[in-house]
Short mmCIF file of all heavy atoms in Angstrom, two decimals:
data_model
loop_
_atom_site.label_atom_id
_atom_site.label_comp_id
_atom_site.label_asym_id
_atom_site.label_seq_id
_atom_site.Cartn_x
_atom_site.Cartn_y
_atom_site.Cartn_z
N LEU T 19 42.58 3.22 19.24
CA LEU T 19 43.77 3.04 18.43
C LEU T 19 43.42 2.21 17.20
O LEU T 19 43.91 2.50 16.13
CB LEU T 19 44.83 2.31 19.24
CG LEU T 19 45.34 3.05 20.50
CD1 LEU T 19 46.35 2.23 21.20
CD2 LEU T 19 45.90 4.41 20.09
N ARG T 20 42.54 1.24 17.40
CA ARG T 20 42.11 0.41 16.25
C ARG T 20 41.50 1.27 15.18
O ARG T 20 41.80 1.14 13.99
CB ARG T 20 41.09 -0.62 16.78
CG ARG T 20 40.62 -1.53 15.69
CD ARG T 20 40.32 -2.90 16.25
NE ARG T 20 39.09 -2.91 17.01
CZ ARG T 20 38.90 -3.75 18.05
NH1 ARG T 20 39.75 -4.64 18.36
NH2 ARG T 20 37.75 -3.73 18.67
N ASP T 21 40.69 2.18 15.60
CA ASP T 21 39.98 3.05 14.60
C ASP T 21 40.98 3.93 13.86
O ASP T 21 40.82 4.24 12.69
CB ASP T 21 38.92 3.91 15.29
CG ASP T 21 37.82 3.06 15.86
OD1 ASP T 21 37.61 1.94 15.38
OD2 ASP T 21 37.20 3.49 16.85
N ARG T 22 42.01 4.34 14.56
CA ARG T 22 42.99 5.21 13.96
C ARG T 22 43.74 4.45 12.84
O ARG T 22 43.94 5.01 11.76
CB ARG T 22 44.02 5.70 15.00
CG ARG T 22 43.37 6.52 16.12
CD ARG T 22 44.10 7.80 16.32
NE ARG T 22 45.51 7.78 16.08
CZ ARG T 22 46.45 7.52 16.98
NH1 ARG T 22 46.10 7.31 18.23
NH2 ARG T 22 47.68 7.51 16.69
N VAL T 23 44.08 3.20 13.15
CA VAL T 23 44.75 2.41 12.13
C VAL T 23 43.75 2.15 10.89
O VAL T 23 44.15 2.34 9.77
CB VAL T 23 45.17 1.03 12.68
CG1 VAL T 23 45.75 0.14 11.60
CG2 VAL T 23 46.17 1.26 13.83
N ALA T 24 42.54 1.82 11.24
CA ALA T 24 41.58 1.58 10.17
C ALA T 24 41.34 2.82 9.36
O ALA T 24 41.33 2.75 8.10
CB ALA T 24 40.25 1.13 10.77
N ALA T 25 41.23 3.95 10.00
CA ALA T 25 40.96 5.19 9.27
C ALA T 25 42.16 5.53 8.31
O ALA T 25 41.95 5.99 7.19
CB ALA T 25 40.77 6.35 10.26
N TYR T 26 43.33 5.21 8.76
CA TYR T 26 44.50 5.44 7.99
C TYR T 26 44.46 4.63 6.71
O TYR T 26 44.67 5.11 5.58
CB TYR T 26 45.75 5.07 8.80
CG TYR T 26 47.10 5.08 8.06
CD1 TYR T 26 47.75 6.25 7.79
CD2 TYR T 26 47.61 3.85 7.62
CE1 TYR T 26 48.93 6.18 7.09
CE2 TYR T 26 48.85 3.83 6.93
CZ TYR T 26 49.50 5.00 6.70
OH TYR T 26 50.68 4.99 6.00
N VAL T 27 44.15 3.32 6.91
CA VAL T 27 44.08 2.43 5.72
C VAL T 27 42.98 2.90 4.76
O VAL T 27 43.18 2.98 3.59
CB VAL T 27 43.86 0.97 6.18
CG1 VAL T 27 43.64 0.06 5.00
CG2 VAL T 27 45.05 0.54 7.03
N ILE T 28 41.81 3.17 5.36
CA ILE T 28 40.70 3.56 4.50
C ILE T 28 41.04 4.84 3.69
O ILE T 28 40.73 4.94 2.46
CB ILE T 28 39.48 3.90 5.42
CG1 ILE T 28 38.88 2.59 5.95
CG2 ILE T 28 38.42 4.67 4.64
CD1 ILE T 28 38.27 1.75 4.86
N GLU T 29 41.72 5.72 4.31
CA GLU T 29 42.06 6.95 3.61
C GLU T 29 43.01 6.66 2.41
O GLU T 29 42.80 7.15 1.30
CB GLU T 29 42.74 7.95 4.51
CG GLU T 29 42.64 9.36 4.02
CD GLU T 29 43.77 10.23 4.58
OE1 GLU T 29 44.14 10.07 5.76
OE2 GLU T 29 44.34 11.03 3.76
N LYS T 30 43.96 5.79 2.65
CA LYS T 30 44.88 5.47 1.58
C LYS T 30 44.13 4.82 0.40
O LYS T 30 44.47 5.08 -0.73
CB LYS T 30 45.92 4.44 2.09
CG LYS T 30 46.88 5.04 3.11
CD LYS T 30 47.85 6.03 2.45
CE LYS T 30 48.92 6.49 3.43
NZ LYS T 30 49.76 7.48 2.85
N ILE T 31 43.10 4.05 0.76
CA ILE T 31 42.35 3.37 -0.34
C ILE T 31 41.43 4.35 -1.07
O ILE T 31 41.44 4.40 -2.30
CB ILE T 31 41.53 2.16 0.27
CG1 ILE T 31 42.44 1.12 0.85
CG2 ILE T 31 40.61 1.57 -0.80
CD1 ILE T 31 41.72 -0.03 1.50
N THR T 32 40.74 5.12 -0.29
CA THR T 32 39.76 6.00 -0.95
C THR T 32 40.40 7.07 -1.73
O THR T 32 39.88 7.55 -2.76
CB THR T 32 38.79 6.64 0.09
OG1 THR T 32 39.58 7.19 1.11
CG2 THR T 32 37.89 5.56 0.67
N THR T 33 41.56 7.53 -1.30
CA THR T 33 42.27 8.54 -2.13
C THR T 33 42.89 7.96 -3.37
O THR T 33 43.36 8.68 -4.21
CB THR T 33 43.37 9.28 -1.31
OG1 THR T 33 44.34 8.31 -0.84
CG2 THR T 33 42.77 10.00 -0.09
N GLY T 34 43.00 6.60 -3.38
CA GLY T 34 43.56 5.99 -4.55
C GLY T 34 45.06 5.77 -4.42
O GLY T 34 45.65 5.20 -5.29
N GLU T 35 45.62 6.20 -3.33
CA GLU T 35 47.06 6.06 -3.14
C GLU T 35 47.43 4.54 -3.10
O GLU T 35 48.47 4.10 -3.64
CB GLU T 35 47.48 6.68 -1.82
CG GLU T 35 48.99 6.79 -1.67
CD GLU T 35 49.38 7.69 -0.48
OE1 GLU T 35 48.52 8.52 -0.07
OE2 GLU T 35 50.49 7.57 0.01
N TRP T 36 46.55 3.74 -2.45
CA TRP T 36 46.69 2.33 -2.55
C TRP T 36 45.61 1.79 -3.45
O TRP T 36 44.43 1.73 -3.12
CB TRP T 36 46.50 1.73 -1.14
CG TRP T 36 47.66 2.04 -0.20
CD1 TRP T 36 48.79 2.74 -0.49
CD2 TRP T 36 47.67 1.81 1.23
NE1 TRP T 36 49.57 2.87 0.62
CE2 TRP T 36 48.89 2.34 1.69
CE3 TRP T 36 46.81 1.18 2.08
CZ2 TRP T 36 49.29 2.22 3.04
CZ3 TRP T 36 47.15 1.11 3.42
CH2 TRP T 36 48.37 1.56 3.92
N ALA T 37 46.01 1.36 -4.67
CA ALA T 37 45.00 0.99 -5.65
C ALA T 37 44.64 -0.48 -5.36
O ALA T 37 45.22 -1.20 -4.60
CB ALA T 37 45.60 1.15 -7.04
N THR T 38 43.61 -0.88 -6.15
CA THR T 38 43.14 -2.28 -6.03
C THR T 38 44.32 -3.22 -6.35
O THR T 38 45.05 -3.02 -7.29
CB THR T 38 42.05 -2.55 -7.07
OG1 THR T 38 40.94 -1.71 -6.79
CG2 THR T 38 41.59 -3.95 -7.07
N GLY T 39 44.44 -4.23 -5.42
CA GLY T 39 45.53 -5.19 -5.65
C GLY T 39 46.84 -4.80 -4.94
O GLY T 39 47.71 -5.66 -4.84
N TYR T 40 46.94 -3.59 -4.54
CA TYR T 40 48.15 -3.14 -3.83
C TYR T 40 48.37 -3.89 -2.55
O TYR T 40 47.40 -4.13 -1.80
CB TYR T 40 48.03 -1.58 -3.60
CG TYR T 40 49.20 -1.01 -2.86
CD1 TYR T 40 50.37 -0.67 -3.54
CD2 TYR T 40 49.17 -0.81 -1.48
CE1 TYR T 40 51.44 -0.12 -2.90
CE2 TYR T 40 50.25 -0.25 -0.77
CZ TYR T 40 51.40 0.11 -1.51
OH TYR T 40 52.46 0.68 -0.86
N ARG T 41 49.60 -4.22 -2.34
CA ARG T 41 49.89 -4.93 -1.08
C ARG T 41 50.18 -3.87 -0.03
O ARG T 41 51.20 -3.23 -0.09
CB ARG T 41 51.06 -5.88 -1.31
CG ARG T 41 51.45 -6.58 -0.01
CD ARG T 41 52.55 -7.55 -0.27
NE ARG T 41 53.38 -7.60 0.93
CZ ARG T 41 54.23 -8.56 1.18
NH1 ARG T 41 54.37 -9.52 0.30
NH2 ARG T 41 54.92 -8.60 2.36
N ILE T 42 49.40 -3.86 0.99
CA ILE T 42 49.62 -2.80 1.99
C ILE T 42 50.70 -3.24 2.99
O ILE T 42 51.08 -4.40 2.98
CB ILE T 42 48.28 -2.51 2.72
CG1 ILE T 42 47.95 -3.54 3.77
CG2 ILE T 42 47.11 -2.40 1.74
CD1 ILE T 42 46.86 -3.14 4.69
N PRO T 43 51.20 -2.32 3.77
CA PRO T 43 52.21 -2.68 4.76
C PRO T 43 51.80 -3.83 5.68
O PRO T 43 50.61 -4.04 5.92
CB PRO T 43 52.31 -1.39 5.61
CG PRO T 43 51.87 -0.28 4.73
CD PRO T 43 50.80 -0.89 3.82
N SER T 44 52.73 -4.61 6.10
CA SER T 44 52.40 -5.81 6.92
C SER T 44 51.98 -5.32 8.30
O SER T 44 52.15 -4.15 8.65
CB SER T 44 53.66 -6.70 6.99
OG SER T 44 54.60 -6.09 7.84
N GLU T 45 51.45 -6.27 9.02
CA GLU T 45 51.03 -5.96 10.42
C GLU T 45 52.22 -5.37 11.19
O GLU T 45 52.05 -4.36 11.90
CB GLU T 45 50.46 -7.20 11.08
CG GLU T 45 49.19 -7.71 10.46
CD GLU T 45 48.59 -8.84 11.24
OE1 GLU T 45 49.20 -9.29 12.24
OE2 GLU T 45 47.43 -9.24 10.96
N ASN T 46 53.33 -6.02 11.05
CA ASN T 46 54.48 -5.54 11.83
C ASN T 46 54.94 -4.12 11.44
O ASN T 46 55.32 -3.33 12.30
CB ASN T 46 55.65 -6.54 11.68
CG ASN T 46 55.45 -7.77 12.53
OD1 ASN T 46 54.88 -7.65 13.66
ND2 ASN T 46 55.81 -8.92 12.02
N GLU T 47 54.81 -3.81 10.14
CA GLU T 47 55.17 -2.45 9.71
C GLU T 47 54.22 -1.45 10.34
O GLU T 47 54.64 -0.35 10.79
CB GLU T 47 55.16 -2.35 8.19
CG GLU T 47 56.37 -3.13 7.55
CD GLU T 47 56.25 -3.19 6.04
OE1 GLU T 47 55.27 -3.73 5.53
OE2 GLU T 47 57.14 -2.71 5.38
N LEU T 48 52.93 -1.76 10.31
CA LEU T 48 51.96 -0.87 10.86
C LEU T 48 52.13 -0.76 12.41
O LEU T 48 51.90 0.29 12.98
CB LEU T 48 50.54 -1.34 10.54
CG LEU T 48 50.15 -1.20 9.02
CD1 LEU T 48 48.81 -1.89 8.79
CD2 LEU T 48 50.11 0.29 8.63
N VAL T 49 52.49 -1.87 13.00
CA VAL T 49 52.85 -1.82 14.42
C VAL T 49 53.93 -0.78 14.70
O VAL T 49 53.81 0.11 15.60
CB VAL T 49 53.28 -3.18 14.90
CG1 VAL T 49 53.99 -3.07 16.27
CG2 VAL T 49 52.11 -4.14 15.07
N ALA T 50 54.97 -0.78 13.87
CA ALA T 50 56.08 0.12 14.00
C ALA T 50 55.56 1.56 13.73
O ALA T 50 55.90 2.51 14.49
CB ALA T 50 57.22 -0.22 13.08
N THR T 51 54.77 1.72 12.72
CA THR T 51 54.27 3.05 12.31
C THR T 51 53.45 3.70 13.43
O THR T 51 53.60 4.89 13.75
CB THR T 51 53.43 2.98 11.02
OG1 THR T 51 54.19 2.38 10.00
CG2 THR T 51 53.04 4.40 10.63
N PHE T 52 52.54 2.89 14.01
CA PHE T 52 51.56 3.48 14.95
C PHE T 52 52.00 3.28 16.37
O PHE T 52 51.37 3.84 17.32
CB PHE T 52 50.20 2.86 14.69
CG PHE T 52 49.52 3.41 13.48
CD1 PHE T 52 49.68 2.84 12.23
CD2 PHE T 52 48.69 4.53 13.58
CE1 PHE T 52 49.07 3.33 11.11
CE2 PHE T 52 48.12 5.05 12.46
CZ PHE T 52 48.29 4.44 11.23
N GLY T 53 52.96 2.42 16.64
CA GLY T 53 53.40 2.19 17.99
C GLY T 53 52.33 1.52 18.82
O GLY T 53 52.20 1.82 20.02
N VAL T 54 51.56 0.65 18.18
CA VAL T 54 50.55 -0.10 18.94
C VAL T 54 50.91 -1.56 18.90
O VAL T 54 51.82 -1.97 18.18
CB VAL T 54 49.15 0.10 18.33
CG1 VAL T 54 48.76 1.57 18.47
CG2 VAL T 54 49.06 -0.35 16.89
N SER T 55 50.16 -2.37 19.59
CA SER T 55 50.47 -3.80 19.60
C SER T 55 49.96 -4.47 18.32
O SER T 55 49.10 -3.95 17.65
CB SER T 55 49.87 -4.50 20.78
OG SER T 55 48.52 -4.87 20.48
N ARG T 56 50.49 -5.64 18.02
CA ARG T 56 50.06 -6.26 16.78
C ARG T 56 48.61 -6.68 16.80
O ARG T 56 47.96 -6.61 15.83
CB ARG T 56 50.97 -7.51 16.49
CG ARG T 56 50.66 -8.12 15.10
CD ARG T 56 51.70 -9.08 14.65
NE ARG T 56 51.55 -10.42 15.14
CZ ARG T 56 50.85 -11.40 14.54
NH1 ARG T 56 50.25 -11.09 13.42
NH2 ARG T 56 50.77 -12.56 15.02
N MET T 57 48.12 -7.10 17.94
CA MET T 57 46.71 -7.44 18.03
C MET T 57 45.81 -6.32 17.62
O MET T 57 44.77 -6.49 16.98
CB MET T 57 46.35 -7.86 19.46
CG MET T 57 46.77 -9.27 19.80
SD MET T 57 46.01 -10.47 18.67
CE MET T 57 44.35 -10.52 19.27
N THR T 58 46.15 -5.11 17.98
CA THR T 58 45.38 -3.94 17.61
C THR T 58 45.34 -3.78 16.10
O THR T 58 44.26 -3.64 15.49
CB THR T 58 45.96 -2.71 18.24
OG1 THR T 58 45.99 -2.89 19.68
CG2 THR T 58 45.14 -1.45 17.95
#
Side-chain angles (χ1 to χ4, degrees):
Chain T
L19 299 179
R20 182 148 73 206
D21 295 334
R22 301 231 325 269
V23 176
Y26 171 80
V27 174
I28 286 296
E29 201 208 319
K30 292 291 187 184
I31 294 177
T32 50
T33 60
E35 190 170 340
W36 293 351
T38 298
Y40 179 81
R41 180 180 146 162
I42 80 168
S44 73
E45 295 189 350
N46 283 324
E47 289 173 300
L48 290 172
V49 163
T51 303
F52 284 89
V54 298
S55 86
R56 187 165 83 91
M57 279 304 283
T58 302

